[in-house]
Amino acid sequence: MPTELEDNPTSFAETALTLGGKSAEEARRTGAVDRADEQVERLFTPEHQTNRSPAHRAVWDRGVPVSEFTSTTPVVPPEVQRVMEASLAIARRHVTARTLFDSAGKVGDEVLAELAAEGYWGLLVDKDYGGSGAPFAAFAPFLGRMATIDGTVAGLASIHGCIGAVDPVQTFGTPEQRAKFLPRLASGESLSGFALTEPCAGSDLTALCTTARLEGDQYIVHGEKLFISNAALGRTVGLVCLIDERPAVLIVDLPSSESDQFQLKTYGLHALRHLHNRGLVFNGLRVPAENRLTPPRGDGLTIAYHGLNRGRVTLCANAAGSMRQLLASMIPWSKFRVTYGAAIEKRELVQRRIGELAGLIVGADSLVAWCSELLDKGYRGEMECIVAKIFGSEALKHAAIELAMKTHGGRSFLHGHPVGDNLHDFLAPCIYEGEGEMLSMSFFKSLVKQHGQTYFEPIGKTLAAAGIKNPNPLNPRHALVLARVARPYLRWQIAERLRWRTAPELPAMPAPLRRRAEFACDELQRMSREIDGTLRKFQLKLADRQCRMTELSRRCQDLIVMLCSSLYAARQSSEVVHHAAEVLGDSLRHRLANERPDNKFYRRVTQLGEAIAEGGFPGLEEIVPSEILMRY
Ligand SMILES: Cc1cc2nc3c(=O)[nH]c(=O)nc-3n(C[C@H](O)[C@H](O)[C@H](O)COP(=O)(O)OP(=O)(O)OC[C@H]3O[C@@H](n4cnc5c(N)ncnc54)[C@H](O)[C@@H]3O)c2cc1C
């Protein structure tokens, strides 16, 4: 029974599950984010909303809906394939010729124009507007391939197509707005970015200050944006600002020169150094009123959340490509570097790192395939895309520092080395598009919201109305009040306790992968009772138990990664991919169960590393090998 109930009539959703603390002001502000979230939810059909999503059902339904965790190989229309291959060839040619970057070290205008001519920027734009209408399930893994050649070129397409102007205009624009913007976004005449963050508003989106005031048929914009990727004169941005005190999105064509009304703010930024990232200062810039996007429900945050989901999947794809680059740099180096009379590729520590990295790549590949297909099926995919974002960014950080940097030793820090030169790019994904632990809390919040609203909110409200602060079932008055309102919850608890383990309906798959998938399904099903216990224990104070929320969230996420990667690997023909998924599954299980790796695991992972050093790994073919520096 409840133990820490507070006398607070505010709804469970708005208070107990907020990311902030206790004050009324915080509850109000996070309540605003909650409402925006609910508005996004209503854009989707009931069967595709969060509480019917695979991640949610895996925990709360009887039996994990395995088929919804299984991805397929996307069908890529020939015209889309042509654009993709041509774009890859351009990037490859410029990387080989060392002409990708201009004198300022940014991806050069000539490269951007060549990519535009092949249709790269229009891949996600509908055919009706001059794009090639690629399914997202084809686009996302393609960006992973592009990232094996160059992460910035891949990142630019993600910014433009997912979080920049393409997705908002295509999803929320009127026919007139689509006709106005999409053809030039598709042709690359306008490249776009997404301007949400402000000096005072990063994690806290309720602190937005930039405003737009209607004057005649124009909005007058005042305010400052910070950290905006792909921000340059003449580009287009999806600007999140306040209109009549509510978040809204204006599509803003940035002027071609600075003026009193608009300036770019430059600063040194270590991450994403091959693209422009700047602040935008608006001091009365005029924007046509017709450029305001109005979603059918909700407001500017609704629009922002929609694109961010896609961006999180392509971020994971980019991470997979970058990890392949790291792997491709480790293999020749480990063959070249001889210490104590043997190449380091023969050493267990190095073999373990290579094997572990392969596991992380398969994990990221599997999440990209899974999430992008879910989005194409019409799912909102909020929780699933968060899993992909966090896994991709954390895996890349781990790969760069623990696996690649340690293997390359001192040379990692030489100018011109793939690890040292790009270290900040490998770390920054943990922060942009939502810092990982903050997102972990969002995942948890989405996971428990329905359960909390169904069972805990009525109890809380009734007790609060009866003036009972610390309910005690032994107190007859409390027991009477509780008996009335707690019945549905007690029924749920009894049903949970009587619930038989239903074996997951797994497809035909190799036994080692099946065992890992079964483990993941069993544990996901067990999470419901543990999460329920946490809700019962902390009640409205759960908002302040951030460490517990992120820990539970992290465990659910690890299990989802284990399930997805096992299912994904099972449908690949490569044995190396199977073994990589096994290694990833074991590493996740060690973390989940606080288990020490046994000798079998070390044998498995080092043999995998040895096999990859000898025979390669799928997807390394595109990579232009990096030079070995300071040869002896
Ligand atoms: C390379 C790069 C590119 C970027 N590109 C873009 C872009 O194109 N467009 C754009 O709009 N933005 C962009 N950003 C901004 C990025 O999205 C933000 O940096 C990010 O959302 C975090 O915001 P912040 O830096 O203001 O962190 P802050 O809000 O200052 O938070 C700092 C940390 O405090 C902690 N924290 C904050 N609030 C809480 C809380 N309630 N509970 C517990 N912990 C908390 C979190 O760990 C958080 O990471 C970019 C950033 C970088 C580094």
Side-chain angles (χ1 to χ4, degrees), residues 19 194 196-197 202-203 227-229 272 277 432 435 438 546:
L19 303 180
F194 173 60
L196 176 62
T197 306
S203 307
F227 288 137
I228 310 309
S229 301
L272 301 184
N277 184 297
Y432 57 71
E435 185 270 318
M438 296 292 284
Q546 296 187 331

Side-chain angles (χ1 to χ4, degrees), residues 63-71 370 504-507 509 517 521 563 567:
V64 174
V66 172
S67 62
E68 293 304 281
F69 283 86
T70 316
S71 54
W370 176 55
E505 287 181 22
L506 295 168
M509 58 198 293
C521 290
L563 177 58
L567 291 165

Side-chain angles (χ1 to χ4, degrees), residues 320-467:
S322 300
M323 287 192 285
R324 280 189 162 88
Q325 277 198 338
L326 291 172
L327 180 57
S329 74
M330 286 160 70
I331 295 172
W333 166 250
S334 64
K335 290 180 188 303
F336 174 82
R337 186 55 165 170
V338 173
T339 68
Y340 300 100
I344 60 171
E345 69 163 346
K346 302 291 175 208
R347 309 294 184 184
E348 267 203 348
L349 285 179
V350 173
Q351 291 169 345
R352 191 207 72 216
R353 291 183 199 134
I354 292 175
E356 203 184 321
L357 180 48
L360 297 176
I361 293 171
V362 171
D365 283 350
S366 70
L367 294 172
V368 171
W370 176 55
C371 290
S372 54
E373 199 169 316
L374 288 181
L375 295 181
D376 278 348
K377 281 182 190 169
Y379 277 105
R380 178 179 177 194
E382 173 82 351
M383 296 172 71
E384 293 75 10
C385 296
I386 287 179
V387 177
K389 193 292 181 173
I390 296 177
F391 180 83
S393 57
E394 292 292 325
L396 179 57
K397 179 182 75 176
H398 181 80
I401 294 174
E402 297 298 329
L403 310 177
M405 185 185 85
K406 289 184 177 171
T407 302
H408 284 286
R411 282 167 177 78
S412 299
F413 299 93
L414 285 170
H415 288 189
H417 194 278
V419 174
D421 275 6
N422 299 302
L423 201 55
H424 292 98
D425 283 17
F426 298 144
L427 304 183
C430 293
I431 301 298
Y432 57 71
E433 298 189 37
E435 185 270 318
E437 289 200 306
M438 296 292 284
L439 284 181
S440 258
M441 287 198 288
S442 298
F443 175 96
F444 186 77
K445 179 177 158 180
S446 297
L447 185 60
V448 302
K449 189 170 180 171
Q450 188 193 34
H451 190 71
Q453 283 178 332
T454 309
Y455 299 113
F456 288 84
E457 192 170 308
I459 299 176
K461 281 185 169 165
T462 307
L463 290 175

Side-chain angles (χ1 to χ4, degrees), residues 7 44-45 97 123 142 148 167 174-175 181 192 206 220 235 249 261 289 408 429 494 501 516 550 562 572 576 608:
D7 184 2
F44 296 85
T45 55
L123 274 166
F142 157 70
T148 62
D167 182 72
T174 59
F181 291 108
S192 67
T206 64
I220 318 291
R235 300 246 158 107
V249 171
Q261 286 73 45
H408 284 286
I494 292 165
R501 173 190 176 275
R516 286 159 181 84
T550 45
M562 201 167 172
Q572 312 298 318
V576 172
L608 174 63

Side-chain angles (χ1 to χ4, degrees), residues 459-501:
I459 299 176
K461 281 185 169 165
T462 307
L463 290 175
I468 301 172
K469 270 193 179 177
N470 296 308
N472 174 6
L474 299 178
N475 176 324
R477 190 173 87 84
H478 295 190
L480 199 68
V481 174
L482 283 170
R484 257 187 289 124
V485 73
R487 216 170 280 152
Y489 177 60
L490 291 174
R491 265 202 301 272
W492 179 86
Q493 275 216 324
I494 292 165
E496 271 297 295
R497 276 169 217 287
L498 297 177
R499 156 149 103 157
W500 290 101
R501 173 190 176 275

Side-chain angles (χ1 to χ4, degrees), residues 50 53 91 103 192 268 293 321 368 421 428 453 491 539 542 582 609:
T50 299
S53 74
S103 56
S192 67
L293 298 179
V368 171
D421 275 6
Q453 283 178 332
R491 265 202 301 272
Q539 293 276 332
L542 185 60
E582 288 166 33

